[in-house]
Amino acid sequence: MHLTALLFIYSALLMTSIASATSVSTAAPISEWSVNQLEQRLEHIDTELGQLARFSLRAGMGSIGYRSFRHLTPEQTEWVQIDLESEAAIDQIVLVPTIWHDAVTGHRADCFPLQFQILAGTHEDSTGSVIASFDATDHLLPRSAPLIVPCDVKATWVRIETSLLSPAAFDGKYKLELSEVMIFSGEENVALRQTVQSPSNSFTSISRASNYLVDGFVPYVMHSGRGLHSNAYIGQVEPDTAPVLSLDLGETYPLNRIHLHAVDLNENSPQSHPSDFGIPRHMILEGGNLPDYSDASPLVEYRINSAFESGPVIMRNFPKTACRYVRLRVITPYHNSRDNSDNELVGFAEIELFSEDQNVALGKPIQSNLSVSNTGRSLVSLTDGLNTYGYILPIRAWINELALRHDLEVERPIIADELNRRYALQKTQLKWVSWLAALLAVGIGFTILIDRMLQIRKIMQVKERFAADLHDELGANIHTIDMLNEISRDTDSQEERDMLSDRISKVTERTATSIRYFSNMLAADQFHVGLVDDMRRATERIATNIKYDLTVEGADSLNQLKPLIRADLFLFYKESLINIIRHSGATQVRTHLEATAREIRLTISDNGIGISDSIGNEAPAALKRRAHLIGGKATAQRTPAGGTTITLILRPRRRPWRRTKL
């Protein structure tokens, strides 16, 4: 029973320890999260990843960004500063890394600084203040996503200063490279086409130059991953016609920004078109409030001198101007030389006009004097808010989604690995619990078997006790009745006969009472309460013609004995008297009962013929059986003066497991 209890306790503790982690907050280290929290976080990450913009890198030729001088050691101070046109309330800075295609790891940031700080200040404060700092412990690399730096500062300049550079994938030299720096005030990138200062940039005309750091071109294609597919518009210029795209916004808006989305190139590899396909070489955006554009004024002019001056989204800011009618007047269209023809084309995926960060051109009708040979490329697609990948997002939202996707994609394998570790641990624990359950089942089986054996033993002991009680109690009473009957036959006195008859009646009643108590001896709490008196009466009944002497020491200790022990002690004494009367021929019996809290000693001596030498100190079988039931030890020995002494030693508090509770 003890083993089974311990196994149950261990099982409960084990299951409690497994379940206890469910109360751990997700603010705690990931090692303290519960399995349920890990599973929920993994599910949340997968759900978010399905709703975020995808990484889709540009193809073809274009500007790469800024690159500093090369260094042989990484501990170098490099800096680049963007001077804003005017003081702006800046709430976010974005650093877009230069992307390198590694043959082993795929696309990754190249020469992104390992340790740097970002400072901001005003014209009056040339030193500025640090608004963010990073080192190797921030684990910014590897990455190909933008780095988002939240802030809340008013400034006219922002500077990135490095103290530890990373090596270039190409030659292992240490450099600072960045594809783009965006400085947001609300939804507006106030760093767009602003002045860039740097002490070490040596590139001025190729794909890497300081001005490319704020040209608005990033190495990604806008791929929102949601929304419908839309084909870009491509129109063909008619001979002797000045190409124009015009919009009626429906009402007057204060415009300050235009986004021209380049024609989405197909996914063939290699590409069948150059990256600036369809984009005019020279065009002017004009706006006014009269439908004939008689009051139109130029808003912004765009001119391409090389392929490095175009990209997926051409962004231009201009002074805020109230306009209803806007037209894009193409001065020099795109010359299509792919098929050796003289076709001139104008093509865009979307035209966005912004007023207070809202695209007011969305859904507005566009008119054009261009011809469209492909019915799948209509003017409607210029303002439907879609590109070939789905919805066109605000630039800030798009860049932030790419950064969030990076963070989630970094976190996901960590969560997955921890979950797999927990699953493996649970599998091991489940195996242990299975073994424990099997051990419990075996323990329970053994417990049932042992309990069954104890029940059988108890039944056998009950039978043995019942037989002993019948033998000792009833045998003694029947012997007394028989002896009194013989005495009655041998006497001539009627008075003595009546007396003997009365005694026989009392013994008979006593026998009936004993039989009633045989069925539940322990339930009779008052049975043999007066043990000494019962012993005296039994001696008078059994030893009718024998002189006896009964002495007792420790009567109080006798009264504290359990009823069953008193009954067994009484029956042992009666059986001893019966043996003396039947077999010893004694004329005198001396009984001494000594009781203490630790031991009971019963000594019965007679002056009879004594026991046989062949028996030694063995007590008669009936007495040994009764002593065994009571948990004591009985011995018998011949006395020097003749006769026999029977001794019973009983220790009531010793080995209580041997006593049977009935």
Side-chain angles (χ1 to χ4, degrees):
M1 293 296 289
H2 292 170
L3 175 62
T4 305
L6 288 175
L7 291 174
F8 273 119
I9 292 172
Y10 177 76
S11 177
L13 290 175
L14 180 62
M15 299 309 295
T16 301
S17 67
I18 295 173
S20 63
T22 57
S23 62
V24 178
S25 169
T26 53
I30 191 174
S31 58
E32 298 180 11
W33 291 16
S34 69
V35 171
N36 185 51
Q37 288 172 322
L38 291 169
E39 290 175 337
Q40 289 180 353
R41 180 57 183 165
L42 188 63
E43 182 180 358
H44 177 73
I45 290 174
D46 289 340
T47 300
E48 275 205 281
L49 288 175
Q51 299 172 351
L52 294 175
R54 271 76 162 162
F55 282 105
S56 185
L57 298 179
R58 292 170 56 184
M61 183 181 294
S63 62
I64 296 177
Y66 168 82
R67 174 191 284 179
S68 72
F69 288 134
R70 298 178 177 86
H71 301 279
L72 298 178
T73 58
E75 296 84 2
Q76 301 292 334
T77 299
E78 287 285 351
W79 62 268
V80 60
Q81 178 173 308
I82 298 96
D83 294 321
L84 307 182
E85 187 175 16
S86 60
E87 185 176 274
I90 301 169
D91 55 21
Q92 189 178 86
I93 298 173
V94 179
L95 305 186
V96 181
T98 300
I99 306 299
W100 175 271
H101 183 238
D102 187 272
V104 177
T105 60
H107 294 95
R108 64 177 180 83
D110 193 33
C111 294
F112 196 84
L114 296 176
Q115 186 168 305
F116 64 97
Q117 60 183 5
I118 301 176
L119 301 93
T122 62
H123 294 309
E124 295 77 19
D125 179 16
S126 60
T127 303
S129 59
V130 177
I131 60 176
S133 60
F134 301 90
D135 56 32
T137 61
D138 293 304
H139 304 292
L140 299 180
L141 300 177
R143 71 186 304 115
S144 58
L147 174 65
I148 305 298
V149 182
C151 59
D152 183 11
V153 62
K154 290 185 177 181
T156 57
W157 57 265
V158 173
R159 184 165 60 243
I160 297 100
E161 290 185 356
T162 72
S163 54
L164 187 65
L165 302 176
S166 62
F170 175 70
D171 57 9
K173 299 296 191 300
Y174 296 93
K175 292 164 279 189
L176 168 63
E177 289 195 34
L178 291 172
S179 174
E180 188 79 8
V181 173
M182 296 180 172
I183 303 174
F184 284 100
S185 177
E187 293 296 319
E188 184 176 357
N189 176 16
V190 294
L192 184 64
R193 298 178 59 80
Q194 298 301 309
T195 302
V196 178
Q197 298 184 52
S198 174
S200 67
N201 181 255
S202 60
F203 302 95
T204 57
S205 60
I206 59 174
S207 62
R208 292 178 174 90
S210 58
N211 60 300
Y212 292 151
L213 189 63
V214 290
D215 61 359
F217 301 138
V218 294
Y220 321 113
V221 174
M222 184 172 288
H223 184 176
S224 67
R226 50 199 187 271
L228 301 176
H229 164 83
S230 176
N231 290 321
Y233 168 79
I234 300 176
Q236 184 171 327
V237 179
E238 296 290 341
D240 303 322
T241 303
V244 175
L245 295 170
S246 59
L247 296 86
D248 179 3
L249 300 178
E251 59 181 282
T252 300
Y253 292 98
L255 304 179
N256 68 323
R257 181 160 37 109
I258 184 172
H259 291 180
L260 299 172
H261 293 257
V263 174
D264 303 311
L265 302 180
N266 57 44
E267 295 297 330
N268 293 338
S269 185
Q271 296 283 351
S272 59
H273 299 291
S275 56
D276 59 352
F277 178 76
I279 298 176
R281 307 295 92 178
H282 185 197
M283 54 186 167
I284 299 175
L285 179 68
E286 299 175 331
N289 291 295
L290 297 176
D292 61 357
Y293 292 95
S294 59
D295 64 340
S297 60
L299 302 177
V300 67
E301 183 176 3
Y302 177 75
R303 190 188 299 270
I304 294 180
N305 296 315
S306 71
F308 301 117
E309 297 180 7
S310 67
V313 184
I314 301 169
M315 295 178 281
R316 291 292 185 271
N317 296 332
F318 50 85
K320 189 176 296 184
T321 306
C323 303
R324 171 176 176 175
Y325 298 97
V326 178
R327 68 181 178 184
L328 192 63
R329 187 160 53 88
V330 178
I331 308 302
T332 305
Y334 175 82
H335 182 73
N336 184 19
S337 60
R338 183 185 61 168
D339 52 4
N340 296 320
S341 66
D342 292 330
N343 290 342
E344 292 182 323
L345 305 174
V346 174
F348 299 103
E350 187 79 7
I351 297 176
E352 295 181 291
L353 291 169
F354 289 90
S355 173
E356 303 297 336
D357 301 328
Q358 179 184 1
N359 176 20
V360 295
L362 182 64
K364 299 299 192 297
I366 293 185
Q367 294 180 345
S368 173
N369 58 0
L370 301 170
S371 64
V372 179
S373 58
N374 189 330
T375 57
R377 298 184 178 275
S378 67
L379 284 168
V380 175
S381 64
L382 285 174
T383 56
D384 61 2
L386 302 170
N387 64 11
T388 190
Y389 300 106
Y391 294 126
I392 293 175
L393 303 174
I395 298 299
R396 178 169 176 171
W398 171 45
I399 293 297
N400 278 262
E401 285 192 17
L402 293 180
L404 179 57
R405 171 173 286 276
H406 165 79
D407 293 340
L408 295 178
E409 288 179 345
V410 169
E411 181 185 3
R412 192 186 189 285
I414 298 174
I415 299 293
D417 289 346
E418 180 65 18
L419 257 181
N420 290 333
R421 188 186 71 82
R422 296 290 186 87
Y423 288 152
L425 179 61
Q426 283 187 342
K427 186 177 181 180
T428 301
Q429 290 176 335
L430 181 61
K431 184 182 296 184
W432 279 106
V433 170
S434 300
W435 280 105
L436 181 61
L439 185 58
L440 284 173
V442 173
I444 293 172
F446 272 113
T447 301
I448 295 173
L449 178 62
I450 292 172
D451 184 68
R452 179 63 178 167
M453 293 174 65
L454 290 175
Q455 291 293 332
I456 295 174
R457 179 183 176 186
K458 184 176 180 180
I459 293 172
M460 295 302 296
Q461 288 179 339
V462 170
K463 290 182 179 180
E464 183 179 2
R465 177 177 293 279
F466 190 75
D469 290 348
L470 285 175
H471 179 274
D472 297 345
E473 180 70 15
L474 298 185
N477 291 346
I478 292 173
H479 174 74
T480 300
I481 292 171
D482 181 63
M483 183 176 62
L484 292 174
N485 186 52
E486 288 182 0
I487 295 174
S488 175
R489 285 200 303 268
D490 294 339
T491 183
D492 294 330
S493 171
Q494 185 62 37
E495 183 180 354
E496 187 175 356
R497 286 181 180 177
D498 292 340
M499 184 270 294
L500 292 172
S501 176
D502 183 61
R503 291 182 63 182
I504 290 173
S505 297
K506 290 182 178 180
V507 173
T508 302
E509 289 181 13
R510 184 70 179 179
T511 301
T513 301
S514 298
I515 292 174
R516 285 197 302 272
Y517 280 111
F518 286 159
S519 61
N520 193 0
M521 189 72 76
L522 278 181
D525 292 336
Q526 302 302 318
F527 194 56
H528 294 304
V529 172
L531 177 61
V532 176
D533 293 337
D534 288 343
M535 292 174 68
R536 292 185 188 279
R537 285 192 291 269
T539 305
E540 291 176 357
R541 292 196 307 269
I542 297 173
T544 306
N545 296 325
I546 297 178
K547 183 180 179 181
Y548 69 90
D549 180 35
L550 175 61
T551 58
V552 177
E553 295 181 24
D556 292 339
S557 297
L558 291 175
N559 292 333
Q560 295 177 3
L561 295 175
K562 293 182 180 180
L564 183 59
I565 297 178
R566 293 197 302 267
D568 285 332
L569 193 60
F570 175 71
L571 292 176
F572 181 88
Y573 175 66
K574 287 182 65 175
E575 179 64 20
S576 299
L577 287 181
I578 294 296
N579 283 337
I580 292 172
I581 297 301
R582 287 180 176 176
H583 308 296
S584 70
T587 59
Q588 185 177 359
V589 176
R590 293 184 302 277
T591 302
H592 182 71
L593 178 58
E594 181 181 359
T596 65
R598 297 177 58 87
E599 182 180 270
I600 297 174
R601 182 182 292 269
L602 176 62
T603 304
I604 307 170
S605 303
D606 64 62
N607 61 351
I609 60 176
I611 61 176
S612 172
D613 292 335
S614 61
I615 297 177
N617 293 331
E618 290 287 333
L623 297 181
K624 289 176 63 178
R625 176 180 59 189
R626 178 60 62 180
H628 172 72
L629 290 174
I630 202 174
K633 182 178 181 181
T635 59
Q637 61 182 5
R638 182 189 293 274
T639 60
T644 304
T645 298
I646 298 173
T647 303
L648 172 66
I649 299 175
L650 172 65
R651 294 181 175 86
R653 297 184 181 180
R654 184 181 178 186
R655 294 183 294 178
W657 55 272
R658 293 189 58 183
R659 298 197 51 77
T660 303
K661 294 183 179 182
L662 300 178

